[in-house]
């Protein structure tokens, strides 16, 4: 799942200096499987993120991210801002379970030291049966509904949206031996899942216009990650091995000038540009 901020248009044009929150989950139903990934946030400094051991003991994940000691080095604001990617594993069955954001311990601060007002968080409700993970329930919140609710001019909100169809899907859909060549193309041996009757670049490129990104341009590690994602060519922009409306949100941010994190690549057909062809592939892949 992805924790994301949904900001009002009045917050655009700023930089974020700090963000903190607590994600609460039912520890008898779920376990945090892997370390929380905050690279998508654009924050250069991690003040605190609970380890899986601590999180599973408490049934909560504390996160605190900051711009560090360099003024203005935090991420630029956008209508939809991913903050963290979290991998949960179901360890028991249960109905009407909730992963929630503790708003009383949430704060979003701009680089002019202004705390943005918060609206009620959009939490994720799910059920687990026969080992099905969070997100299989039809009651899960989605990125598209999160985006529409962020149109309020006076508040910002945190939301948790389901992004994982199984606890092992990420590892089975990433080929770590598939990397980006010096000519900015992915290795010819890379294997991708592709849509039928869709034109893809060959070889798939691993370069994008640097102006699309927030505070830093993609490095070699980012580019290698783009190449290793077997479902990139289906619309997986952020490497979590599934395609949802959040991927469409990344595409929209890129084409509308709101910028994206260095780990995100909305060039789905691999031709080195973000265009309507990429949007069409994402839309076809969203369940």
């Amino acid at each position: 799942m992805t924790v994301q901020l949904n900001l009002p248009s009045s917050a655009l044009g700023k930089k974020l200096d700090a963000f903190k929150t607590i994600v609460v989950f039912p520890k008898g139903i779920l376990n945090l499987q892997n370390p929380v990934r905050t690279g998508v946030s654009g924050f250069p400094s991690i003040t605190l993120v609970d380890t899986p051991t601590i999180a599973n003991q408490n049934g909560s994940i504390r996160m605190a991210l900051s711009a560090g000691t360099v003024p203005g080095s935090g991420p630029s604001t956008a209508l939809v801002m991913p903050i963290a990617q979290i991998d949960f594993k179901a360890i028991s069955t249960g109905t009407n379970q909730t992963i929630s954001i503790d708003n009383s311990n949430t704060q979003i601060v701009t680089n002019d030291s202004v705390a943005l007002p918060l609206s009620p968080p959009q939490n994720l409700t799910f059920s687990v049966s026969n080992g099905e993970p969070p997100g299989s329930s039809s009651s899960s919140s989605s990125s598209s509904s999160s985006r529409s609710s962020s149109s309020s001019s006076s508040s910002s909100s945190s939301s948790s949206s389901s992004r994982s169809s199984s606890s092992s899907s990420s590892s089975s859909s990433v080929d770590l031996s598939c990397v980006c060549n010096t000519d900015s193309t992915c290795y010819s041996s890379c294997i991708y899942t592709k849509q039928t009757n869709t034109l893809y670049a060959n070889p798939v490129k691993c370069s994008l216009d640097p102006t699309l990104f927030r505070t830093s341009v993609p490095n070699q590690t980012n580019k290698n990650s783009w190449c290793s994602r077997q479902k990139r060519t289906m619309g997986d922009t952020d490497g979590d091995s599934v395609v949802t409306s959040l991927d469409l949100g990344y595409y929209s941010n890129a084409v509308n000038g709101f910028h994206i994190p260095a780990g995100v690549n909305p060039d789905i057909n691999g031709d080195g540009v973000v265009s309507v062809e990429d949007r069409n592939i994402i839309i076809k892949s969203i369940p």
Side-chain angles (χ1 to χ4, degrees):
M1 58 165 278
T2 293
V3 177
Q4 68 183 45
L5 299 181
N6 306 294
L7 301 181
S9 57
S10 59
L12 299 180
K14 301 178 183 294
K15 294 268 192 177
L16 295 187
D17 189 57
F19 169 81
K20 70 173 184 177
T21 195
I22 298 179
V23 179
V24 181
F25 63 92
K27 64 179 182 179
I29 304 295
L30 300 178
N31 260 1
L32 178 61
Q33 187 76 351
N34 300 305
V36 175
R37 304 185 300 281
T38 60
V40 295
S41 69
F43 280 104
S45 179
I46 299 175
T47 305
L48 170 69
V49 175
D50 280 337
T51 64
T53 299
I54 294 175
N56 292 331
Q57 288 175 349
N58 299 327
S60 62
I61 307 168
R62 297 172 298 172
M63 289 188 286
L65 310 175
S66 75
T69 58
V70 181
S73 62
S76 299
T77 54
L79 295 179
V80 178
M81 297 186 65
I83 293 296
Q85 294 174 324
I86 302 175
D87 298 329
F88 284 118
K89 179 181 180 181
I91 58 174
S92 181
T93 60
T95 58
N96 296 321
Q97 302 295 312
T98 301
I99 301 172
S100 61
I101 300 294
D102 182 354
N103 238 24
S104 64
N105 283 291
T106 298
Q107 189 176 45
I108 308 167
V109 181
T110 63
N111 68 329
D112 51 3
S113 299
V114 175
L116 297 178
L118 300 175
S119 62
Q122 296 171 338
N123 300 320
L124 171 65
T125 300
F126 66 95
S127 297
V128 179
S129 60
N130 298 323
E132 291 179 352
S136 58
S137 169
S138 61
S139 60
S140 301
S141 63
S142 69
S143 308
S144 57
S145 63
S146 298
R147 285 177 62 82
S148 63
S149 68
S150 69
S151 60
S152 168
S153 61
S154 61
S155 63
S156 56
S157 65
S158 301
S159 68
S160 54
S161 59
S162 170
R163 300 283 294 157
S164 175
S165 58
S166 74
S167 60
S168 61
S169 61
S170 295
S171 59
S172 63
S173 298
V174 174
D175 181 2
L176 297 180
S177 66
C178 183
V179 296
C180 181
N181 288 309
T182 55
D183 64 352
S184 295
T185 62
C186 299
Y187 275 13
S188 58
S189 59
C190 297
I191 299 174
Y192 298 105
T193 304
K194 298 180 179 179
Q195 292 179 355
T196 58
N197 301 318
T198 300
L199 183 63
Y200 293 91
N202 187 18
V204 170
K205 295 183 179 179
C206 43
S207 62
L208 277 178
D209 181 351
T211 64
L212 293 175
F213 300 92
R214 286 181 186 163
T215 56
S216 61
V217 297
N219 57 28
Q220 187 64 37
T221 299
N222 297 134
K223 294 178 180 180
N224 289 345
S225 177
W226 295 349
C227 290
S228 69
R229 301 168 186 173
Q230 294 180 10
K231 292 187 178 180
R232 169 187 167 182
T233 43
M234 294 292 287
D236 176 17
T237 66
D238 56 6
D240 65 355
S241 302
V242 292
V243 183
T244 72
S245 52
L246 184 56
D247 295 296
L248 186 59
Y250 282 131
Y251 166 86
S252 298
N253 281 350
V255 298
N256 289 300
F258 291 129
H259 300 109
I260 54 178
V264 168
N265 186 348
D267 171 28
I268 307 306
N269 63 3
D271 62 357
V273 296
V274 182
S275 64
V276 68
E277 286 79 10
D278 303 307
R279 176 182 179 274
N280 292 340
I281 296 173
I282 296 172
I283 290 176
K284 289 180 182 178
S285 295
I286 294 176

